[in-house]
Amino acid sequence: MSTVSGTRKLVAPLPAGGVGQSIRDSLVVAKRNLIRMTRIPEMILFGVIQPVMFVVLFTYVFGGSINIPGAPSGSAGAYKEFLMAGIFAQTVTFATAGAGAGIADDMHKGLIDRFRSLPMARGAVLTGRTLADLVQTAVTLAVLAVVALLVGWRTHENIGKVLAGFALLLLLGYAFTWIGALIGLSVRTPEAATSGGLIWLFPLTFISNAFVPVNGMPKFLQYVAEWNPFSATVAAARELFGNTIDGVPKSVTGAWPMEHPVWASLIWSVVIILVFRVLSVRKYRSATA
């Protein structure tokens, strides 16, 4: 009786192909992240508190001091309607830091390596994470809209346009979570991901039309603000909510994104998603190889 001995080489299972498999894998990862969020409710709670504080502070501290062109001087009501689209947009973009920190934490704990050993689509881990972050952002945005109504914000368009405005805001937020994903894959710790996810957001959101009219800025900053993707979504939301002021020009520099904010917002968000998803998936493959 003879015995045949040998060694077997262990290899990671190959991921299943196809768009359907990728979608299923992404939804499974998204479900895993959503369950994790429900078990850590403070993640959602703290994510809601910050934008609510911004609403209250900007409304009652600056509301009577900032003049909106075309509105009565010192009109707090006009500033509330001007402000809210900016607060909504800031809220969805600040989800970038959470997305980056979450992915960096998974990398730090080795969870991404375990996912990589499974027969699943390579981009599903990142897509699932960004979809879960989108759901959390939608919940935060809904709560924030209720708070805005309580402090006096109102819309003046039909429900279809209002929902379209919120859809554009969520699309921008989803686009920016892909930037957060790339940052999370590029740093070593969750703390670095949080800092890296916020440091560039502050100039992006404040050099814009979100909180003050652009016409009061220096000329070169007016061009920067009106070509800012963030500004395009803010202007689109104001238009769809009916929060624009009659007789006030859409742009002070003639920038195309301000003249056609809805289309500009859609184009900017789609381009950001396409570019940063490709870069994030490529980084994911090289970072976990």
Side-chain angles (χ1 to χ4, degrees):
M1 183 175 180
S2 60
T3 302
V4 179
S5 62
T7 60
R8 297 176 61 187
K9 184 178 181 181
L10 297 178
V11 296
L14 295 176
V19 175
Q21 181 67 36
S22 179
I23 293 174
R24 286 191 295 271
D25 292 343
S26 298
L27 293 177
V28 169
V29 176
K31 181 180 178 181
R32 171 256 176 191
N33 282 284
L34 288 173
I35 292 173
R36 179 171 178 249
M37 289 176 186
T38 60
R39 292 175 179 172
I40 314 176
E42 56 267 28
M43 292 175 60
I44 299 176
L45 179 62
F46 293 151
V48 171
I49 290 175
Q50 179 179 313
V52 168
M53 289 176 60
F54 272 111
V55 170
V56 175
L57 289 174
F58 273 86
T59 299
Y60 294 108
V61 176
F62 301 113
S65 304
I66 298 178
N67 293 325
I68 307 301
S73 179
S75 173
Y79 185 65
K80 288 174 186 176
E81 296 195 354
F82 176 87
L83 170 70
M84 286 316 305
I87 294 290
F88 290 151
Q90 183 191 54
T91 300
V92 300
T93 54
F94 272 35
T96 302
I103 290 175
D105 187 51
D106 286 345
M107 289 281 292
H108 184 67
K109 293 178 178 177
L111 184 63
I112 297 294
D113 290 332
R114 291 196 290 272
F115 275 133
R116 193 172 186 273
S117 68
L118 300 175
M120 60 189 301
R122 290 289 179 257
V125 174
L126 303 179
T127 302
R129 174 76 206 199
T130 56
L131 287 175
D133 289 328
L134 178 62
V135 173
Q136 182 179 357
T137 301
V139 172
T140 302
L141 197 58
V143 174
L144 192 58
V146 173
V147 174
L149 290 171
L150 292 176
V151 300
W153 172 68
R154 295 293 182 268
T155 60
H156 306 285
E157 292 288 355
N158 60 61
I159 188 65
K161 286 189 176 182
V162 172
L163 291 177
F166 281 113
L168 282 179
L169 288 165
L170 289 174
L171 183 63
L172 179 72
Y174 182 67
F176 274 53
T177 57
W178 281 106
I179 301 177
L182 181 61
I183 294 172
L185 291 167
S186 303
V187 298
R188 296 181 180 181
T189 64
E191 294 78 10
T194 301
S195 299
L198 289 175
I199 194 169
W200 60 275
L201 279 175
F202 280 103
L204 183 81
T205 55
F206 282 94
I207 306 177
S208 72
N209 59 358
F211 307 113
V212 295
V214 173
N215 64 331
M217 298 180 182
K219 194 66 177 180
F220 76 96
L221 283 183
Q222 290 179 359
Y223 285 99
V224 173
E226 294 201 335
W227 282 94
N228 185 341
F230 182 82
S231 293
T233 300
V234 172
R238 286 191 185 125
E239 183 175 299
L240 292 168
F241 294 155
N243 291 156
T244 57
I245 300 174
D246 293 336
V248 177
K250 293 182 177 181
S251 171
V252 297
T253 66
W256 185 86
M258 294 298 99
E259 297 292 340
H260 308 86
V262 175
W263 281 108
S265 173
L266 186 62
I267 292 170
W268 272 121
S269 295
V270 170
V271 168
I272 292 171
I273 292 171
L274 292 176
V275 171
F276 282 91
R277 188 184 190 281
V278 170
L279 294 176
S280 297
V281 173
R282 184 179 300 172
K283 184 67 177 178
Y284 166 79
R285 287 172 174 168
S286 63
T288 58

